[in-house]
Amino acid sequence: MITLTVNGTQHELTLEPDTPLLWALRDEVGLTGTKFGCGIAQCGACTVHINGVAMRSCSVPIASLQGASVTTIEGLSPDAKHPVQQAWIAEDVPQCGYCQSGQIMATAAFLKTHPAPTDAEIDANITNICRCGTYERLRRAIHRAADMMKA
Amino acid sequence: MDGNDFAPALTRRHFIVTAVTAAGGLALGIGMAPRLAQAAAVTAQPWDEGGYDPHEIDAWIAIDPDDSVLIRYQRSEMGQGSMTALPMIISEELQCDWSKVRVEYASPNRNIRENKVYGDMFSNGSRSVRASRQKMQQVGASARERLIAAAAARWNVPAPECTAASSVVTHAGSGRTLRYGELAADAAKITLASEPAIKTPDKFTFIGKPMPRIDVPPKVDGSAKFGIDAQLPDMVFAAIVACPVAGGTLKSVDESPVAGAPGVLKVVRLPDAVAVVATGSYWRAKQALAKLQPEWDVGPAGDIDSAQLSSAFRAALDGPAQTARNSGDVDKAMQGAAKTFEAIYETPYLSHSPMEPMNATVHLQPDRLDVWFGTQDALEATEKAAHWSGLKPEQVFVHNAFLGGGFGRRDASDEVEQAIAIAKAVQRPVKLIWTREEDTRHDKFRPHALVRFKAGVGSDGVPTAWSMRVVTSSILASAKITFPGLKGPEPMATAGLSNNGYNVPNTRVDVVLKNTHLPVWFWRAPGANQHVFAIESFLDEIAAAGGHDPYQLRRKLLAGRPDWLKVLDTAAEKGDWGKPLAPGRGRGIAICEDTDSLCAQVAEVTVSPRGQVKVDRVTVAIDTRYVVNPLTIAEQMEGGLIYGLSAALYGKLTIRNGAVVEGNFDTYRMVRLAQAPKIDVHLVPGGGEKWGGAGEPSTPPIGGAVANAIFAATGKRVRSLPIMDHDLSSGSA
C-alpha cells in the first residue's frame, strides 16, 4: 500500500506498485484533470508537481512516491486564481484544452525557478505538445504570468 | 460543399410543460460552480441527462427567473470556438445580457425524439458558423419577439411599441419595463403569426466583437470534462490492439499470459482486434494487453511498404482520370509555349493525432445505451450506436464531451463500435482507451498524394497554360459516404488546385483515384492541406525560372480578383515582403481558397549551414468574408498554421509490411514551443454573398510558404514532404 498526499489530502493507494501516478490519480483518486496523451513522457499532458517539481506522471510509478506530496491541476490554487491560470484566461490560450493542465503545471513550476524567463529559457523548458498549436498565446501567457508574480 | 444554402425557416416548437428526465440515468458526480460573474459561461458539463429545462422558451433557449439565459449548442467544441460563436449569434438577435448566458450541448437524443429540432449536429468543413448562422439568428429573433409579445400582452399595448435590449423589454410610451426572467414563462406559450426578419450583417452590434471563449475557464483548472474523463459506478477499463495491417483479422490469441494478472476480467476477441478488460485501472488492462501475442491474418496487404505505394501512385499517373477543371486548350497552348516545365510533388500519409487519444465509455442495458465520448457529429454517432447495439436511436444517449482535438478524426465513431462490442462481452459499463500508438497506427489517414504539374510559359516567363494531374485516394469511398448532387470527382481530391485563383487561360485539373488498403479520411482542410503546398511551390518554380518575384507574379496572375489581391497584398505588406534579409534567411509566400475563405501567408525562415530549418515568423492575412468572433478567428489562424507546420516539417507515416511504423510522439514528431514561429494575423473580411470558414484555411498555405522561403534562403527546391527528409545543408558544415 502506497500512501501519498494529493492536493493536501492523504490517500492510500491499492493499485499495484508499478502503476504510473497518472492512472492512480485518474482511476483511483478520481482526479481527471491530469491527462493521458502518450504514456512515454513525450507530450507532457500528464504533468503534475511531485514535492514541488514538475514531473510527467505517466512515467512515475507510485512505488517511488511513498510519502510524497503531489499537486495536480485541481490543487494548483484553491480558487483557480493562480497567476498562470489567470494569465491563461487573459490570453485566451486553450483551444481544445486537453494539453493545458499539463502546460499550466509545467509553467507554474518553471516560473518558480525562472521568475523572469527569456524566450530561449521558455523554449528549453516548456516542451509540452499542443496539437491545436496555441503556442503564440501560450508564450505570451507565460510572460504575463511572470509579470503578475513579480508585481 | 456550401454552407450557405440553409433555408432560414425555423420549425416552431412549443413549450415543454414538464422537464422530462430520462429513466435510468447515471449519477456522474460531476459538478462545477457556474461562472456567471463576468462573462458567458459553459454549464457544469456537456453531458446533461436529457436535455430539458423547466424554464425553456423552446428547445434552444431557457430563461430562468433571475434572467440567466441557457443556450443550447448543437455543434461540437474541439477548440475552434463555435461554442462561443453560435451563442453570440443568438444573443445578437435575442438582445440578452451576454454576462448572463450559459451554454450547454443540445441533446442528440432529444433531437431524434423531437423530429430533428436541432437539425444536423456535425462540426466539420469549417461549417459550424456558416451553416448555422441564419438559423441561430432566427432562433434568437423568434425568442425576442415572443418575449416582447408577452410583455405587450401583460401591459395590453401593441407589441411594436415595445423594444428589447439587455434582457429587458421596455414600453416606449410609458417607460414600463419587464425583465426577460419575468416574461419567459408567458413567452413560452406564445406562437408568433410569422417569423420575424433577421438582421442583415450591417446591423450587427455584438457579432464582430472579440469575445473570450466561454470554454476557457474550465480548461485552466482541470474541471472541463473530455470523453476520457467519464467515470461511472461499476465501470471497468479496456485496452485494445487491432490487427497492425488495416483490413486484416484476428486468427487467435493465447490468453494464458494474462492468467492471474491483477484485475483482469476478460480477453475480448473482436473480428480485427483484441481487447483486455480489467477492473480498477486502465493501466491494468494496458499492461495485460502488452503480454498477449495475438496471431493475425494480415491479408494481402501484409507485404506492402511505402516505396511500393509511392511507385504504384507514380504508375497510376497516366491511368484513367476524372477531370475537375478544364478551361481553354492546355495541349495546344503548351505547343506554342516558349518554355515548358514539369514537376511532381508528393505528400505522405498522416495521422490526425489529437492530444486526446480515441476513447469511448459505454453503458449498455437491455433497453438503453449511454455513450460518453467526444464526437464531431453527435447525431450521426447516436444513429450508428443504435445500429451497433441493436437498439432504437431514441434509446441511445450520446453524451458529447469537450473534444481533445478533432481535426476530422472524431467523425467516424469507430471507437464506439469497439466499446459496444466489448460492453456486450463483459455486461458492465466500460471505458475503452486507445494507446497513443494505437491512435497513430489505426487512424483513418490523410491520403498519400502525387501531383504532376506541366506548365508552358511565354517569352515573358508568365504561364499561359498549366495542367495538374493528381493521384490520391478517395475519401468518400473510404468513408462510405456520398455527397448528394456531386458532379465530377470528389472535391477533396483536387481541393486547392481546381479552385486556385490564378488567371492562367489554359488550365486543366485531372485526378486519378487510387485506393489502397489504408483507410483515408477528412484531415483538416482535406486535399488542400497537401495540394496547396504543391501548387504554390510549383508556381514559385515558374517565377524563379522567369526571373519574376514570387509575390509580383502572383499579383499579375490574380489581376481582376480584388479579394484575392487584398489578402495577398496584406500578407506581403505586413510580412515585410522585399525587405533585405541576412544570408541563410528567406521569405516565402503562398495563398489559397479554402472553405470559401481566402488565406495568404508569408513565412520567414532561417536555414543553418547544416541544413536545419527554423521558421522564425509567419504573417497571415485571412478573409472569412464575415467575422463573428475576431479573437477566435485569430486563434484558428495561429493553430491551423501550426498544425500544417508539423505536417510540413516532420509529418510522415512509414508503411512497412502493410503496417504503420510510427507510433508515438518520439517517432511521429510535432512542433513544440521551441519550433513555433512568431505569428501575426490580419483579418480582412470582404463581405459578399458567402460566409467563409475559419477552422481550416490557415492549414494549407504554410507548407508552400515555408518551402518557398527555404528556396529563397538556399536555392533548394522541396518537392516532397516532410521537409526534414531533405538535405538542405550548404556544404560548409
Side-chain angles (χ1 to χ4, degrees), chain A residues 16 20 23 26-27 32 35 37-38 42 85 92 94-96 98 122 127 131-132 135-137 139, chain B residues 79 213 219-220 225 228-229 281-284 352-353 436 635 638-639 643 664 670-672 678-679:
Chain A
E16 291 68 50
W23 298 109
R26 292 182 55 85
D27 295 343
T32 57
K35 301 305 192 211
C38 69
Q42 270 285 321
Q85 292 170 311
D92 215 43
Q95 289 186 24
C96 92
Y98 192 81
I122 292 172
T127 58
R131 282 292 277 155
C132 297
Y135 301 119
E136 177 77 17
R137 279 161 212 279
R139 182 187 300 280
Chain B
R213 297 219 327 276
K219 289 176 175 176
V220 305
K225 296 298 176 192
I228 201 170
D229 300 331
S281 174
Y282 171 69
W283 176 253
R284 289 173 166 171
H352 297 77
S353 300
R436 172 57 56 193
E635 290 167 0
E638 294 157 7
Y643 198 77
N664 211 317
M670 301 297 165
V671 165
R672 300 172 193 243
K678 177 89 190 74
I679 302 171

Side-chain angles (χ1 to χ4, degrees), chain B residues 8-222:
Chain B
L10 180 70
T11 308
R12 169 96 273 123
R13 286 262 355 130
H14 292 286
F15 184 54
I16 308 296
V17 178
T18 52
V20 180
T21 304
L26 293 156
L28 280 171
I30 290 164
M32 189 186 85
R35 297 165 188 275
L36 304 179
Q38 290 155 353
V42 60
T43 54
Q45 289 306 339
W47 34 51
D48 58 289
E49 266 306 312
Y52 294 95
D53 186 286
H55 299 293
E56 287 184 1
I57 289 181
D58 56 28
W60 295 91
I61 295 169
I63 303 179
D64 288 353
D66 69 356
D67 289 349
S68 73
V69 178
L70 174 65
I71 292 178
R72 302 248 166 69
Y73 161 72
Q74 82 282 31
R75 307 275 169 205
S76 302
E77 181 56 62
M78 48 190 162
Q80 85 279 36
S82 67
M83 187 181 244
T84 303
L86 297 194
M88 281 177 71
I89 298 171
I90 289 180
S91 297
E92 169 80 47
E93 295 279 2
L94 182 58
Q95 291 292 312
C96 63
D97 182 343
W98 181 246
S99 71
K100 292 175 179 162
V101 170
R102 292 176 296 131
V103 181
E104 71 179 20
Y105 274 137
S107 160
N109 181 276
R110 179 174 181 175
N111 200 24
I112 284 165
R113 280 185 283 135
E114 296 189 16
N115 195 28
K116 306 284 165 73
V117 61
Y118 298 116
D120 65 68
M121 301 183 81
F122 57 77
S123 294
N124 56 40
S126 299
R127 274 178 294 212
S128 287
V129 165
R130 56 208 184 104
S132 311
R133 69 102 187 166
Q134 287 175 312
K135 183 167 183 172
M136 296 301 94
Q137 282 189 250
Q138 196 68 65
V139 163
S142 295
R144 180 196 68 228
E145 291 305 307
R146 291 164 75 198
L147 289 158
I148 288 174
R154 195 86 65 88
W155 295 322
N156 197 22
V157 300
E161 293 181 7
C162 303
T163 55
S166 298
S167 297
V168 175
V169 179
T170 303
H171 179 234
S174 62
R176 284 176 290 185
T177 60
L178 282 167
R179 294 178 295 103
Y180 280 8
E182 299 172 298
L183 294 166
D186 287 356
K189 295 169 193 152
I190 287 172
T191 303
L192 299 174
S194 62
E195 284 298 322
I198 61 172
K199 290 182 179 183
T200 50
D202 57 303
K203 300 289 195 298
F204 293 156
T205 57
F206 182 49
I207 289 174
K209 288 197 161 82
M211 300 307 293
R213 297 219 327 276
I214 63 165
D215 51 321
V216 163
K219 289 176 175 176
V220 305
D221 64 7

Side-chain angles (χ1 to χ4, degrees), chain A residues 4-41:
Chain A
L4 48 67
T5 303
V6 180
N7 301 333
T9 304
Q10 193 166 307
H11 291 269
E12 293 185 343
L13 302 178
T14 61
L15 289 168
E16 291 68 50
D18 72 338
T19 305
L21 175 61
L22 167 67
W23 298 109
L25 288 171
R26 292 182 55 85
D27 295 343
E28 185 161 15
V29 180
L31 293 172
T32 57
T34 305
K35 301 305 192 211
F36 166 57
C38 69
I40 58 166

